[in-house]
């Protein structure tokens, strides 16, 4: 019985193997038959990636023909050919497009890891992918790649395929093809390069960003040595040639500064990187993939942001600038300037740099306070104060220019005046850890220490984090993800990505965000309490609509942050080396640039107001006492409160002051006047 079962089992296994073999044989025959019927594929394919603005205008083009120079295979260095074959496809001239031994090994590894990360592509497969396909890691793409590979091998010679591969492969820094790369790195033609140079170049295409000697010399040299060892092991070079190449010291040509004259070069770089992350491919695969990338950039706003920075900062100044504008409803970036001169520095200061935001960080402290019992008229003393910390140390912050009110001031006044004592007291009251949790909820990923000075913006953060946080305040507390890309189409026009993001979940309280937003409009009042100048008074006359904002200044950084219901924008001014800004005018650049940009960005937009949530009430408040204002108060301002937290008591100080100036009245007249006042406000 056992023997009979074994025979049946053996027959079953043979049947499965036979059926599987037949399937694969039929599949392979089918590929070759269809490939033959389709005929030879076109070898010409520029594959330029195009970027579009949010209105469909072309704002940039990657990988133009000026970066490609075609040369015959016979005119290339043989060392380069051998180095490429040694590391990329040692059996190139023996196989018919596929190295099945490597493929089966890769498939087993993919099955074990449940991924498609293991590569075993021949030069023919790589060439087919570069010419006709995207770099997405899917089974469908691999099947298409197989068809194109067979067609290449069927209708073109090995030398034609190798020549095409070497003339189109990407070597980084905008260089396509070996001729352009040889000139870029060594200022020589592809026929003149040495064995050591050839091995270096052959190692770059696997990862142009990682293996470029101009980006990481140590990593590039390690790969070069790996290639030279492979060439020696495969008897492509002699022992003497190997040792000479290992010892040769390579000298690289200094790369030319990039001169992008297209709209928003920093934004374009950002969008390209975002697209690479979305499709899970290398940045260089995006640049050379023939994609259509539709972005969130508003061309007019971008031009205005660049123009404002150029106009406001003197050409002779060495100070740097960064600016970022965002749609607070969606998180779409509408304008981005990462520095004053892209040709001199491609470093994007809005996303890559982290600087201290100073007082522009305070709104996040005050939101936390509003969630923990504060109201706009919460009064605290503003005077020189020392704080004894838990570890026994004493912390003594100071106000700008040593100015203190030397009396109790409200939260509204503290925000408008940027009072540091009030901010630190508030931070200590609500707990620095709670403030850190608030900003983390808003998308901050920078390391923030829960210390008293956090209230004064002493933690280094990015401009993108700040603009995102302010946008969440602007939209009423909904989560957003900053982004530059809305849609990506491959070179055939097929959509491979679409942003379907809707408004995010409510992560902040809508009532508290509105109350804070209204308080932040106070920085643009001309004065407070009749004599105290607020931080935004210098640009108040330039603004043509209602904005909420906050500035921030440290010894080496100047920030201006603010928003309307439609646009959030942030401007940073400072030096890359963190030196102190000695010139007085430099500290004012941020506000001036911000005001000019916001006015121009809104010129075609309707006047908007921030929507008042239900259960929020507006009450006229006397800023001196924090109580309900009367007609006798010298000044008053409508402040908003969560219903039930608004003050009940009216300000009597100014009523009595006014009463003393007037002639004595009868008791009945006084009573009648008081009744009128209370009737008016109750």
């Amino acid at each position: 019985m056992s023997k009979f079962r074994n025979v049946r089992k053996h027959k079953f296994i043979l049947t499965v193997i036979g059926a599987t073999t037949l399937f694969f044989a039929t599949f392979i025959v089918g590929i070759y038959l269809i490939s033959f019927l389709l005929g030879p594929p076109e070898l010409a394919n520029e594959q330029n990636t195009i970027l579009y603005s949010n209105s469909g205008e072309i704002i940039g083009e990657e990988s133009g023909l000026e970066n490609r120079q075609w040369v015959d295979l016979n005119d290339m260095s043989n060392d380069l050919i051998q180095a490429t074959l040694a590391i990329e496809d040692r059996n190139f001239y023996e196989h018919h497009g596929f190295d099945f031994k490597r493929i089966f090994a890769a498939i087993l590894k993919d099955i074990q890891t449940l991924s498609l990360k293991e590569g075993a592509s021949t030069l023919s497969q790589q060439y087919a992918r570069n010419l006709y396909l995207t770099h997405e890691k899917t089974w469908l793409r691999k099947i298409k790649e197989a068809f194109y590979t067979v067609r290449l091998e069927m209708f073109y010679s090995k030398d034609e395929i190798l020549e095409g591969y070497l003339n189109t492969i990407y070597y980084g820094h905008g260089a396509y093809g070996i001729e352009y790369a040889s000139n870029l790195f060594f200022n020589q033609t592809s026929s003149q390069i040495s064995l050591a140079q050839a091995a270096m170049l052959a190692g770059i295409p696997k990862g142009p960003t990682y293996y470029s000697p101009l980006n990481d010399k140590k990593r590039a040299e390690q790969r070069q040595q790996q290639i030279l060892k492979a060439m020696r092991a495969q008897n492509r070079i002699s022992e003497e040639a190997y040792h000479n190449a290992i010892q040769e010291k390579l000298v690289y040509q200094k790369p030319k500064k990039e001169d992008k004259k297209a709209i928003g070069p920093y934004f374009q770089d950002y969008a390209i990187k975002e697209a690479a992350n979305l499709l899970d491919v290398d940045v260089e695969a995006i640049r050379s993939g023939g994609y259509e990338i539709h972005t969130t950039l508003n061309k007019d706003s971008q031009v205005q942001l660049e123009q404002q920075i150029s106009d406001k900062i003197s050409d002779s100044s060495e100070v740097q600038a960064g600016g970022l504008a965002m749609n607070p409803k969606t998180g779409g970036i509408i304008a981005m300037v990462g520095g004053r001169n892209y040709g001199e520095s491609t470093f994007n200061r809005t996303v890559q740099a982290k600087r201290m935001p100073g007082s522009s960080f305070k709104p996040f402290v005050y939101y936390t306070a509003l969630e923990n019992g504060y109201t706009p008229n919460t009064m605290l003393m503003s005077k020189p104060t020392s704080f004894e910390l838990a570890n026994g140390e004493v912390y003594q912050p100071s106000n700008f220019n040593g100015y203190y009110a030397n009396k109790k001031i409200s939260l509204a006044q503290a925000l408008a005046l940027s009072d540091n004592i009030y901010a630190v007291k508030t931070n200590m009251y609500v707990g620095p850890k709670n403030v850190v949790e608030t900003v983390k909820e808003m998308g901050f990923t920078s390391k923030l220490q829960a210390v008293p000075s956090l209230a004064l913006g002493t933690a280094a953060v990015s401009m993108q984090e700040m603009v995102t946080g302010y946008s969440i305040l602007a939209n009423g507390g909904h989560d957003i993800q900053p982004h530059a890309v809305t849609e990506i189409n491959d070179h055939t026009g097929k959509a491979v990505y679409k942003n379907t993001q809707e408004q995010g979940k409510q992560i902040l309280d809508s009532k508290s965000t509105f109350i804070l937003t209204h308080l932040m409009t106070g920085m643009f009042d001309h004065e407070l309490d009749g004599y105290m100048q607020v931080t935004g008074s210098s640009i108040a006359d330039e603004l043509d609509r209602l904005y909420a904002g906050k500035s921030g200044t440290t010894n080496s950084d100047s920030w201006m942050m603010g928003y309307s219901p439609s646009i959030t924008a942030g401007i940073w001014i400072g030096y890359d080396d963190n030196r102190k800004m000695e010139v007085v005018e430099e500290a004012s650049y941020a506000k001036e640039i911000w005001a000019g940009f916001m006015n121009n960005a809104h010129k075609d937009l309707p006047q908007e107001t921030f929507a008042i949530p239900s259960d929020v009430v507006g009450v006229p408040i006397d800023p001196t006492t924090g109580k309900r204002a009367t007609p006798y108060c010298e000044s008053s301002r409508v402040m908003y409160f969560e219903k039930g937290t608004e003050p009940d008591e009216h300000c009597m100080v100014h009523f009595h002051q006014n009463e003393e100036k007037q002639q004595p009245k009868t008791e009945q007249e006084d009573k009648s006047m008081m009744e009128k006042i209370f009737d008016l406000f109750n």
Side-chain angles (χ1 to χ4, degrees), residues 263-296:
I263 298 296
Y266 292 99
F267 176 87
Q268 289 189 44
D269 284 350
Y270 182 89
I272 289 288
K273 291 176 183 177
E274 184 177 307
N277 290 331
L278 290 170
L279 299 186
D280 192 24
V281 299
D282 190 84
V283 167
E284 310 311 337
I286 294 293
R287 294 187 187 277
S288 61
Y291 293 96
E292 293 180 350
I293 301 177
H294 295 268
T295 75
T296 57

Side-chain angles (χ1 to χ4, degrees), residues 47-52 57-62 268 272 286-287 290-295 487 489:
Q47 299 186 343
N48 293 351
T49 288
I50 311 295
L51 291 97
Y52 299 87
E57 295 177 89
I58 294 177
I59 58 172
E61 186 169 353
E62 296 285 336
Q268 289 189 44
I272 289 288
I286 294 293
R287 294 187 187 277
Y291 293 96
E292 293 180 350
I293 301 177
H294 295 268
T295 75
E487 183 177 342
N489 300 327

Side-chain angles (χ1 to χ4, degrees), residues 29 37 64 73 76 78 87 101 111 130 143 163 167 184 198 317 392 419 435 455 521 576 582 669:
V29 169
L37 294 174
L73 191 65
M76 298 179 193
N78 185 60
I87 195 63
K101 184 177 180 180
I111 292 173
N130 291 336
I143 293 172
E163 180 180 298
N167 275 292
L184 173 70
S317 174
D419 190 275
V435 176
T521 66
D576 287 338
E582 302 285 356
E669 286 176 328

Side-chain angles (χ1 to χ4, degrees), residues 70-90:
W70 194 283
V71 293
D72 292 337
L73 191 65
N74 293 333
D75 293 330
M76 298 179 193
S77 160
N78 185 60
D79 286 333
L80 172 73
I81 294 171
Q82 296 304 321
T84 301
L85 293 175
I87 195 63
E88 294 290 348
D89 192 355
R90 62 185 298 179

